[in-house]
Amino acid sequence: GDYFAMEYRCVRALFTEDTITVYQAYKDAIADAAICAQTFVEPFKRTRMTWIKPSLCWMMYRSGFAQKDANQRRILAIELKRSSFENLLRQSCLSHYVAEDGVSKEEWQTRLRDFPVRVQWDPERSITLDVLPYRSLQMGLTGPAVDEYCDEAIVSIRDVTPLVLEVKALLDQKKIDAAKALLPQEE
């Protein structure tokens, strides 16, 4: 698409009327348990902040195509109820203070304390992991937001690591169009 026509900050994701897909990278033990249970269970820790990312390219960047380290060797596609995703967004606060947002630093600090979801807008990545001129949403879930995510929001969890490794193999062979054809259509 025309990257310069993209909105600077916009949730781009694979979605339907009822669902939205986000991505996370985990070590084998967490991924295997989540796929089996179709939610996150031990050894996943609900007490830790967990980050979800609607962009597969950003997830491939963050995990080094699932090859960065053993704790990110499995990439999961988590299909969520769209209503739950939107509810999580309503409970969010920017992860860092931005004076231009029209909120005082004190008000932001109160929101940071009271809201269980952190939002940050990181540079989106192309399939070759180059920085694009617009931002991609990341959401950090804590406390009750993690419980909502695990107990109510998840529709399905599937392992997309083989897809990511296939994309990487095609890129290594300079077959960029073939690699792009494998990616979900995030809009």
Side-chain angles (χ1 to χ4, degrees), residues 7 14 129 144 160:
E7 287 188 45
L14 177 65
L129 308 187
V160 294

Side-chain angles (χ1 to χ4, degrees), residues 133-161:
Y134 50 87
R135 299 289 173 150
S136 182
L137 176 73
Q138 324 299 320
M139 292 172 60
L141 312 178
T142 63
V146 176
D147 292 335
E148 180 176 347
Y149 177 63
C150 294
D151 297 337
E152 300 170 31
I154 296 172
V155 173
S156 69
I157 299 176
R158 59 191 168 82
D159 190 345
V160 294
T161 310

Side-chain angles (χ1 to χ4, degrees), residues 15 33 40-41 56 70 73 76 94 96-97 123:
F15 66 91
F40 289 96
V41 295
L56 181 56
R73 73 173 348 140
L76 303 180
L94 278 176
H96 59 283
Y97 177 68

Side-chain angles (χ1 to χ4, degrees), residues 6 10-17 19-23 52-57 78-80 82 85 89 121 124 134-137 139 183-187:
M6 295 278 188
C10 180
V11 178
R12 286 178 259 324
L14 177 65
F15 66 91
T16 69
E17 190 174 314
T19 65
I20 184 168
T21 299
V22 298
Y23 301 92
I52 60 176
K53 300 144 188 84
S55 166
L56 181 56
C57 284
I78 302 99
E79 188 178 23
L80 305 178
R82 196 161 164 181
F85 179 82
L89 272 178
W121 295 94
E124 179 60 283
Y134 50 87
R135 299 289 173 150
S136 182
L137 176 73
M139 292 172 60
L183 293 181
Q185 293 300 307
E186 297 172 354
E187 301 174 16

